[in-house]
């Protein structure tokens, strides 16, 4: 599942990255041709400051239960 994310500012990037670090699965932030590790705050900042396309977190490696918990944890960053 790809979930569109919106993060503004250093503190939000740090918190989002910290949340992602709590999950032992492979996660990817994708925007157009760019792909970064959301467990890296530098990667999160780089993609949000350089990407012109929408940014999505790829959660395909999560089971349903983990996905629901993850979506709840990142709810404030999910673009609505």
């Amino acid at each position: 599942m790809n979930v569109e994310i919106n993060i503004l500012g250093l503190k939000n990037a740090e918190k989002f990255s910290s949340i992602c670090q709590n999950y032992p699965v492979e996660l990817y932030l994708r925007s157009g041709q760019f792909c970064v590790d959301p467990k890296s705050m530098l990667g999160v900042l780089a993609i949000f400051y350089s990407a012109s396309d929408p940014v999505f977190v790829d959660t395909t490696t999560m089971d349903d239960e983990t996905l629901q918990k993850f979506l709840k944890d990142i709810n404030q960053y999910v673009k609505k």
Side-chain angles (χ1 to χ4, degrees):
M1 169 186 258
N2 288 324
V3 180
E4 189 171 356
I5 301 296
N6 188 21
I7 295 177
L8 298 173
L10 180 63
K11 291 286 184 192
N12 286 329
E14 182 178 19
K15 183 158 172 131
F16 179 78
S17 181
S18 177
I19 291 168
C20 290
Q21 290 172 17
N22 291 325
Y23 290 85
V25 297
E26 293 293 321
L27 292 170
Y28 302 97
L29 274 183
R30 300 182 192 277
S31 178
Q33 64 183 2
F34 299 103
C35 180
V36 298
D37 182 356
K39 296 177 184 182
S40 161
M41 188 179 73
L42 185 57
V44 173
L45 286 172
I47 203 164
F48 278 98
Y49 284 111
S50 64
S52 58
D53 295 327
V55 177
F56 296 90
V57 63
D58 181 346
T59 61
T60 56
T61 60
M62 290 184 174
D63 60 56
D64 288 338
E65 183 179 327
T66 304
L67 176 60
Q68 293 309 311
K69 182 179 181 328
F70 180 68
L71 291 175
K72 183 178 177 188
D73 288 348
I74 66 164
N75 185 53
Q76 66 184 343
Y77 306 111
V78 175
K79 189 163 184 175
K80 297 174 173 97

